[in-house]
């Protein structure tokens, strides 16, 4: 059994502080997460969360962008950030002695950004180029197209970086309103992993995040999903890219089904030994890239199949995926398949436990999406205890009326 010590403290200003002790490490990882992403935006300000993520690196009240870059890098550390449809995160890895410096830098960026107008205009150009780079990647295009048609009517349909039109319209007033929400409205979660004293971490967060005034409930989200099929044609392509998938109503957003969907996904298409990989790539040679995946939001789960193949083989590949999917719903797991899948998941958890970054991201994801931390031992026990009958029953019930959508990006 893995020894894991997770500690949790909620400060008076609403910041949740979490630490996962790894005694035998020389480094520490720490990050701060804000429950706001592209799904919380409107069409007019789509991309604002991603814009904010970029702009806080461009200088604070006491540090220039160059100083932010040098502070941790010059001591062997690194500072990263990302935006999703659900949240925005900032995290750093440093030697253990530099944990106070890492907390200071991240807090400074979030509590005291400068939002210089010249830097805004430069970064606007950078992000527009970033959007163009995604347009050149068919796999990115098909994913965004799927979200656009399947989640039409709710914020999950918006691309994370925004559109060229929306990014051109983003203003400094919008950024300062975002900053006001960070200081006054949005909960912040601070997570750290490594050789960390939890009381020291709490003191550091309290000191460096002192400008944080309060935390109210996160933005209310609305969820809607549609069954639709849409194809986008692009000139510079040699393959067709496809994403076929669905999502589930809030009534299915409970831990048993989340675990069941994860187990099914591994068996169906997450790895080389999965049904999807074997049937489409190994048996037929139809695709180099083929896999299935899950998305966990705060109120729904998404599942889908992604593949790239020759234009005249797209329908055949999709038919094989759909047939294999239906076979699973009809017949359940093949002999030995469930036990192999469980060991795959448990082995992955244990191997990942050696990585501070994976432990950090796992802790942050669970807190942001589920509102609760499950230790690795708890997760192992949950996976082990699933019976095949119960798991298949859950999946059949969820998939029965789920609206499937299909997005394709094909050569023109």
């Amino acid at each position: 059994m893995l020894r894991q010590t997770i500690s949790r403290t909620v400060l008076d200003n609403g910041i949740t502080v979490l630490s996962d002790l790894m005694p035998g490490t020389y480094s520490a990882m720490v990050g701060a997460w804000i429950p706001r992403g592209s799904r919380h935006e409107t069409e007019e300000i789509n991309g604002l969360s991603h814009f904010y993520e970029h702009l806080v690196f461009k200088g604070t009240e006491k540090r220039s962008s160059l100083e932010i870059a040098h502070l941790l890098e010059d001591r062997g550390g690194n500072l990263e950030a990302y935006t999703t449809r659900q949240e925005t995160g900032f995290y750093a890895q440093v030697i253990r002695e530099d944990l106070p410096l890492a907390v200071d830098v991240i807090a400074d960026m979030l509590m005291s950004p400068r939002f210089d107008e010249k830097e805004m205009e430069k970064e606007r150009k950078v992000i527009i180029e970033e959007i163009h780079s995604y347009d050149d990647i068919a796999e990115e295009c098909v994913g965004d197209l799927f979200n656009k048609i399947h989640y039409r009517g709710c914020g999950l349909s918006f691309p994370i970086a925004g559109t060229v039109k929306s990014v051109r319209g983003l203003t400094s007033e919008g950024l300062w309103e975002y900053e006001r929400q960070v200081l006054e409205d949005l909960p912040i979660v601070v997570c750290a992993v490594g050789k960390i004293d939890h009381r020291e971490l709490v003191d550091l967060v309290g000191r460096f995040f002192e400008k944080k005034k309060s935390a109210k409930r996160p933005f209310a989200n609305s969820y809607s999903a549609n069954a639709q099929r849409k194809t986008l044609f692009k000139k510079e392509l040699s393959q067709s890219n496809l994403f076929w998938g669905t999502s589930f109503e809030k009534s299915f957003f409970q831990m048993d089904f989340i675990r069941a969907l994860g187990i099914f996904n591994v068996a169906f298409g997450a790895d080389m030994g999965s049904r999807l990989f074997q049937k489409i790539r190994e048996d037929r040679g139809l695709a180099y890239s083929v896999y299935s995946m899950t998305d966990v939001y705060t109120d729904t789960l998404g599942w889908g199949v992604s593949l790239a193949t020759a234009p005249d083989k797209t329908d055949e590949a999709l038919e094989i995926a759909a047939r294999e999917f239906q076979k699973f719903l009809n017949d359940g797991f093949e002999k030995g398949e469930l036990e192999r899948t469980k060991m795959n998941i448990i082995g992955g958890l244990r191997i990942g436990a050696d990585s501070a970054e994976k432990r950090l991201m796992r802790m942050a994801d669970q807190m942001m999406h589920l509102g609760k931390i499950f230790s690795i031992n708890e997760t192992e026990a949950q996976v082990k205890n699933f019976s095949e009958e119960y798991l298949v029953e859950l999946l059949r019930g969820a998939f029965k009326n789920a609206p499937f959508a299909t997005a394709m990006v094909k050569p023109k």
Side-chain angles (χ1 to χ4, degrees):
M1 180 174 289
L2 177 73
R3 294 186 64 183
Q4 188 176 22
T5 303
I6 296 176
S7 302
R8 173 177 175 172
T9 301
V10 180
L11 305 186
D12 291 341
N13 59 6
I15 295 179
T16 299
V17 183
L18 294 157
S19 68
D20 182 0
L21 178 63
M22 293 180 71
T25 58
Y26 293 101
S27 67
M29 294 197 72
V30 63
W33 282 263
I34 304 167
R36 175 165 175 175
S38 58
R39 77 169 298 181
H40 306 111
E41 299 165 353
T42 63
E43 189 172 354
E44 291 72 27
I45 62 166
N46 181 207
L48 180 60
S49 298
H50 181 252
F51 200 36
Y52 175 87
E53 176 221 314
H54 277 238
L55 262 295
V56 296
F57 278 86
K58 296 304 175 182
T60 68
E61 292 175 4
K62 66 178 183 180
R63 293 182 173 110
S64 68
S65 60
L66 188 59
E67 287 174 314
I68 291 172
H70 277 303
L71 270 171
L72 301 183
E73 287 183 0
D74 286 357
R75 296 180 60 80
N78 61 75
L79 179 63
E80 305 285 350
Y82 64 92
T83 306
T84 71
R85 288 179 167 84
Q86 192 69 57
E87 73 268 342
T88 304
F90 306 82
Y91 63 99
Q93 184 168 28
V94 293
I95 59 174
R96 170 62 187 84
E97 293 80 3
D98 285 342
L99 177 65
L101 180 60
V103 176
D104 179 9
V105 171
I106 293 171
D108 190 30
M109 291 164 59
L110 299 186
M111 298 292 100
S112 306
R114 196 162 59 224
F115 297 148
D116 179 80
E117 291 283 351
K118 289 183 179 179
E119 293 294 342
M120 279 183 59
E121 293 312 310
K122 284 193 290 185
E123 207 60 25
R124 193 191 309 274
K125 295 176 184 177
V126 170
I127 292 172
I128 288 172
E129 290 306 311
E130 183 180 353
I131 292 170
H132 287 321
S133 74
Y134 295 149
D135 289 340
D136 291 337
I137 305 171
E139 190 174 4
E140 294 282 348
C141 286
V142 78
D144 278 347
L145 180 62
F146 173 83
N147 275 62
K148 182 177 180 179
I149 63 172
H150 180 63
Y151 295 112
R152 187 182 71 251
C154 77
L156 289 173
S157 64
F158 297 140
I160 293 166
T163 64
V164 171
K165 180 181 178 181
S166 67
V167 170
R168 282 177 175 157
L170 296 177
T171 65
S172 60
E173 290 81 9
L175 284 169
W176 284 117
E177 170 56 19
Y178 192 115
E179 177 62 16
R180 184 200 65 76
Q181 292 169 6
V182 171
L183 293 175
E184 300 179 11
D185 296 339
L186 295 169
I188 294 177
V189 174
V190 175
C191 299
V193 175
K195 193 176 181 180
I196 290 166
D197 181 282
H198 184 73
R199 289 173 297 180
E200 178 194 1
L201 177 65
V202 169
D203 289 342
L204 290 170
V205 173
R207 175 157 38 110
F208 290 118
F209 283 85
E210 63 180 353
K211 283 189 177 182
K212 175 65 175 169
K213 299 174 183 177
S214 61
K216 303 171 186 175
R217 296 181 65 183
F219 293 120
N221 304 140
S222 60
Y223 160 73
S224 61
N226 309 278
Q228 193 176 344
R229 183 182 178 109
K230 189 167 184 176
T231 301
L232 174 68
F233 293 95
K234 295 177 73 70
K235 286 184 179 179
E236 304 299 325
L237 290 178
S238 58
Q239 286 187 311
S240 291
N241 284 256
L242 176 146
F243 195 96
W244 171 70
T246 188
S247 59
F248 307 93
E249 295 179 357
K250 193 174 180 66
S251 60
F252 291 102
F253 195 81
Q254 37 88 13
M255 281 312 304
D256 274 7
F257 180 63
I258 293 171
R259 297 279 184 240
L261 186 65
I263 293 170
F264 161 72
N265 183 64
V266 171
F268 189 78
D271 295 312
M272 289 172 57
S274 66
R275 295 190 186 193
L276 201 62
F277 192 94
Q278 290 296 314
K279 294 291 182 181
I280 292 178
R281 177 168 163 164
E282 297 299 290
D283 291 355
R284 305 290 185 92
L286 292 177
Y288 171 74
S289 175
V290 54
Y291 58 90
S292 65
M293 58 181 288
T294 60
D295 284 312
V296 180
Y297 300 105
T298 56
D299 55 351
T300 187
L301 302 167
W303 177 83
V305 170
S306 175
L307 62 88
T309 188
D312 62 340
K313 299 296 183 182
T314 309
D315 288 343
E316 181 184 356
L318 178 58
E319 182 183 344
I320 293 170
R323 186 166 65 240
E324 205 58 37
F325 170 76
Q326 192 59 52
K327 180 182 177 183
F328 178 89
L329 292 185
N330 291 340
D331 304 333
F333 289 93
E334 296 174 350
K335 185 178 180 181
E337 187 178 29
L338 179 56
E339 290 310 309
R340 291 198 310 272
T341 302
K342 286 182 177 182
M343 285 308 302
N344 176 306
I345 294 170
I346 291 168
L349 281 169
R350 293 181 183 178
I351 292 170
D354 287 341
S355 164
E357 183 171 1
K358 287 188 177 181
R359 286 169 77 140
L360 183 79
M361 292 305 175
R362 184 175 182 274
M363 187 161 52
D365 286 348
Q366 287 189 345
M367 196 64 206
M368 299 304 292
H369 300 165
L370 307 176
K372 182 180 178 181
I373 303 298
F374 294 89
S375 71
I376 293 172
N377 290 330
E378 286 178 301
T379 304
E380 276 196 25
Q382 290 167 351
V383 170
K384 284 180 179 177
N385 290 336
F386 262 111
S387 70
E388 180 174 348
E389 293 75 20
Y390 180 52
L391 198 154
V392 173
E393 179 186 349
L394 283 174
L395 293 166
R396 284 172 178 161
F399 279 118
K400 183 178 180 181
N401 296 312
F404 275 82
T406 306
M408 277 193 283
V409 177
K410 301 181 74 172
K412 193 168 184 179

